[in-house]
Amino acid sequence: MEKRDSENNIVIDINELVKNFEGFEAVRGVTFSVYAGECLGLLGPNGAGKTTIVKMIYDFSPITAGELRVFGESIVDSARRIKARIGIVPQEDNLDPELTVLENLLVYAGYFRMNRRLAAERAQEILDFMDLSEKADAIVNNLSGGMKRRLTLGRALLNRPELLILDEPTTGLDPYARHMLWQRLRKLKDTGTTMLLTTHYLEEASQLCDRLVILHRGKVIETGGPQELMDRYVGKEVLEMGLSTDDLSALMENSGDLIKDHQKLGDYVLFFTNAGEELSEFMSVKTKSLDVQVNYRRLRPSTLEDVFFKLTGESLGD
Amino acid sequence: MFNFIDPILYLWAMGFGLGAYITKINDLSYINFLAPGLVASSAMFATSYEMTYDSFTRMSYHRTFHAMVATPVSMDDVVMGEVMYGTFKGVLYGTVFLAVTLLFGLVKSPLAIMVPLPLAVMAVAFSIISMLWTSLAPNYDSFGYFFTLLISPMFLFSGIFFPIETLPEGVRTLAWMTPLYHTVEIVRPLILGNTSWSMAGHVGWLVGFIVLTLRLPLVMVKNRLIK
């Protein structure tokens, strides 16, 4: 009985999903589920396969192998029915630039076969929710990047989707516009909308997501909540030190529990710790006694980015 | 807008200008012979411009095709919608030009009221041809070749400016293979009132062309956009 309940709560079910482009495996056997009401973050550097997975979920890209079910139905058989229940915010804006803000919403509502009255009603709701009412009659081409993104998100909400898919929704936005969008997404989450979000901004992931799936070169390398992953891999703080790696093992000798783990990153070494101040003092003494030259040092709170460095040995940047 | 002004300029330049030096073609004054052909060609140009430059913009730059298929609409729906829009535009421009020829007193038969029908069939054919080119076009420059290699030769050698019987055998066969020629052969008798059963053959050619090719743009656009 309990198992059945949890099955009913699965919105997206992905099993051993594979996608090959000519001679290139973009997605190599990915398995994960998205549960009703949660915000799941697909995290990974560019080229990890995030967008490819998202495109397969809304039937833009055919599946090479594996299973993909949305609302319990196969996307191959029931694309129209499934797409009527989801909202998609693509990576690049694809609004109609020659139409006004309001016209964009009304035309899009037509694709869901809404009648004119319902369309006008929903469009007005969305203009209010997205704070775009004053711009209703502005031509989309003349909007700022942040407003275009808000309209793109609003457009995806016209059909009151049970599942919202957001593919790098804030890439290229300034911090103000990004926070404006985050606020709306949080409100939607509070009303119970299930979300799948891809991003390579770790701050975005930690702000919005309940659970993360970390992708690397087409495979899932770790799954868990943002805080859980940070606790598991990197602890509370990070001591960054610029020093020669030849001295590393001597430095770390007798450090005991102070160093949870470490990771080389370019010319730096990152020491992950739960006791930053103590480790910092320990290192001051150690470097002096061993006569190690330190070019740079900084103690800072740990972030999801450190988890990513630890897991992949790579940076998450572009 | 310009592809509407174009045929009027042709009508003036060729019909009134050049036509003054030509006595008769098939027992008609030159401008009477010319005007019906321009009705067909103005529809052809309107459809072809819409389904190349403008479709390409929607598909590759505005990415509205992508936006539409994120809804219950499928890519087949989108491409069929494009074909219908291209057809509508062709019929609109052709019909407006028909009205112009009426004002010039060049319409001789009430059967001219039926002209939008063959125009619609032809415009579907040109929507298909143009969408095929658009689905393969790497950039805007390639549409220059489309108009230079396909559309302009059709305009010149499909029996609009002179009967194709005057052409050498081989070239005549080429003209026979174009949708524009068959449309001109339907539109002209409707406007001049000298209909015959041979028109049915031209209708058959156009309908056959559409039946055989309609699926191609659907497949080609999917090949381009869906990876």
Side-chain angles (χ1 to χ4, degrees):
Chain A
M1 202 58 205
E2 214 175 10
K3 189 165 180 285
R4 250 208 91 141
D5 276 352
S6 77
E7 264 174 14
N8 284 343
N9 279 330
I10 293 180
V11 175
I12 304 176
D13 198 13
I14 290 177
N15 206 348
E16 287 299 318
L17 190 64
V18 175
K19 176 72 193 187
N20 292 345
F21 296 110
E22 289 130 33
F24 168 67
E25 273 194 308
V27 178
R28 304 185 294 166
V30 164
T31 300
F32 68 87
S33 299
V34 181
Y35 297 95
E38 77 170 342
C39 175
L40 182 94
L42 271 185
L43 214 64
N46 290 341
K50 304 184 302 275
T51 297
T52 308
I53 291 174
V54 161
K55 281 184 172 168
M56 285 191 278
I57 294 173
Y58 70 89
D59 191 41
F60 194 82
S61 186
I63 296 164
T64 306
E67 212 188 354
L68 200 167
R69 303 183 81 77
V70 185
F71 305 121
E73 292 188 279
S74 157
I75 188 74
V76 183
D77 308 327
S78 326
R80 263 187 220 270
R81 240 195 339 258
I82 292 172
K83 287 194 291 178
R85 295 167 67 185
I86 61 183
I88 293 150
V89 179
Q91 209 173 102
E92 293 167 62
D93 287 324
N94 50 27
L95 301 160
D96 200 321
E98 288 155 7
L99 299 182
T100 68
V101 169
L102 182 62
E103 283 166 345
N104 260 277
L105 293 174
L106 295 178
V107 168
Y108 209 71
Y111 302 143
F112 292 92
R113 291 183 177 265
M114 277 180 225
N115 65 40
R116 273 161 205 270
R117 224 192 44 187
L118 181 64
E121 213 176 277
R122 293 270 175 95
Q124 196 50 55
E125 272 171 37
I126 279 159
L127 290 175
D128 292 341
F129 181 63
M130 286 294 154
D131 205 10
L132 285 167
S133 300
E134 281 170 31
K135 293 283 177 184
D137 297 320
I139 300 289
V140 163
N141 231 353
N142 304 332
L143 296 183
S144 70
M147 284 185 201
K148 280 184 192 162
R149 278 273 93 180
R150 254 146 63 203
L151 179 56
T152 305
L153 173 59
R155 192 183 63 173
L157 301 175
L158 271 169
N159 58 328
R160 299 218 172 123
E162 297 155 66
L163 167 66
L164 190 60
I165 295 175
L166 303 133
D167 193 7
E168 306 207 358
T170 63
T171 300
L173 292 189
D174 62 55
Y176 173 78
R178 180 173 301 159
H179 279 274
M180 290 288 282
L181 207 71
W182 285 348
Q183 282 177 19
R184 300 303 187 290
L185 292 176
R186 248 180 247 121
K187 276 188 196 166
L188 287 168
K189 213 181 119 190
D190 292 343
T191 59
T193 309
T194 309
M195 289 188 213
L196 176 67
L197 171 90
T198 82
T199 185
H200 60 243
Y201 291 128
L202 289 158
E203 200 201 336
E204 185 160 282
S206 45
Q207 289 253 2
L208 297 171
C209 298
D210 306 307
R211 229 153 46 84
L212 303 172
V213 168
I214 299 182
L215 286 171
H216 188 53
R217 295 188 184 144
K219 286 192 157 166
V220 175
I221 53 170
E222 190 53 271
T223 310
Q227 195 56 51
E228 180 194 343
L229 289 176
M230 273 160 50
D231 292 345
R232 195 186 309 162
Y233 288 99
V234 298
K236 291 193 178 68
E237 283 165 304
V238 178
L239 181 66
E240 294 178 5
M241 293 179 84
L243 44 77
S244 160
T245 48
D246 302 338
D247 309 317
L248 200 56
S249 50
L251 266 179
M252 286 170 61
E253 220 170 274
N254 300 327
S255 61
D257 290 343
L258 280 179
I259 299 175
K260 192 174 160 66
D261 210 336
H262 73 283
Q263 175 67 36
K264 286 172 209 165
L265 181 73
D267 300 334
Y268 298 169
V269 178
L270 307 183
F271 296 102
F272 304 129
T273 180
N274 281 321
E277 289 296 333
E278 285 166 56
L279 178 66
S280 189
E281 268 166 44
F282 172 83
M283 281 296 174
S284 299
V285 176
K286 230 18 198 315
T287 46
K288 212 165 278 174
S289 72
L290 288 168
D291 198 22
V292 171
Q293 203 196 332
V294 178
N295 305 315
Y296 168 85
R297 69 185 282 165
R298 182 163 83 109
L299 182 65
R300 58 170 176 81
S302 62
T303 67
L304 265 181
E305 206 145 336
D306 301 311
V307 175
F308 200 83
F309 294 148
K310 185 60 230 160
L311 285 171
T312 66
E314 285 175 28
S315 132
L316 197 60
D318 295 37
Chain B
M1 195 59 212
F2 290 107
N3 40 25
F4 169 64
I5 293 170
D6 235 24
I8 296 182
L9 293 178
Y10 274 102
L11 193 65
W12 268 329
M14 312 293 281
F16 296 116
L18 183 65
Y21 297 91
I22 299 169
T23 44
K24 295 272 168 173
I25 288 185
N26 298 350
D27 286 330
L28 290 165
S29 73
Y30 185 62
I31 195 159
N32 272 313
F33 176 83
L34 174 70
L38 291 177
V39 170
S41 70
S42 68
M44 171 186 77
F45 277 111
T47 299
S48 303
Y49 278 115
E50 184 61 45
M51 292 293 97
T52 50
Y53 290 100
D54 296 318
S55 283
F56 189 75
T57 302
R58 288 190 283 273
M59 180 169 80
S60 299
Y61 287 89
H62 296 167
R63 299 172 76 85
T64 43
F65 285 22
H66 298 74
M68 284 187 259
V69 298
T71 70
V73 173
S74 73
M75 194 58 93
D76 282 354
D77 300 337
V78 172
V79 178
M80 280 310 293
E82 285 286 312
V83 168
M84 284 165 70
Y85 180 54
T87 302
F88 165 76
K89 202 158 176 188
V91 173
L92 179 70
Y93 277 67
T95 307
V96 168
F97 191 73
L98 177 67
V100 172
T101 60
L102 183 71
L103 291 178
F104 278 105
L106 301 170
V107 174
K108 301 291 178 204
S109 160
L111 286 174
I113 194 107
M114 288 166 69
V115 163
L117 292 174
L119 289 186
V121 182
M122 178 198 71
V124 174
F126 277 100
S127 292
I128 292 169
I129 296 169
S130 309
M131 277 307 278
L132 283 178
W133 191 283
T134 301
S135 71
L136 295 168
N139 50 43
Y140 285 109
D141 294 339
S142 67
F143 295 121
Y145 295 110
F146 178 70
F147 283 95
T148 312
L149 296 175
L150 283 172
I151 301 297
S152 293
M154 272 195 231
F155 180 48
L156 293 172
F157 297 104
S158 292
I160 294 175
F161 297 101
F162 51 86
I164 68 162
E165 284 74 25
T166 56
L167 291 168
E169 185 73 38
V171 185
R172 218 187 304 167
T173 315
L174 282 178
W176 188 86
M177 287 165 66
T178 68
L180 183 60
Y181 164 69
H182 296 281
T183 312
V184 171
E185 293 304 311
I186 301 165
V187 170
R188 184 175 288 131
L190 287 177
I191 290 178
L192 300 177
N194 52 353
T195 51
S196 70
W197 280 110
S198 68
M199 286 162 66
H202 298 297
V203 173
W205 190 99
L206 287 169
V207 172
F209 180 89
I210 291 170
V211 170
L212 290 176
T213 56
L214 186 58
R215 275 211 61 79
L216 289 175
L218 303 181
V219 174
M220 296 293 284
V221 170
K222 259 190 270 186
N223 278 351
R224 181 190 179 113
L225 295 182
I226 296 182
K227 297 277 184 233

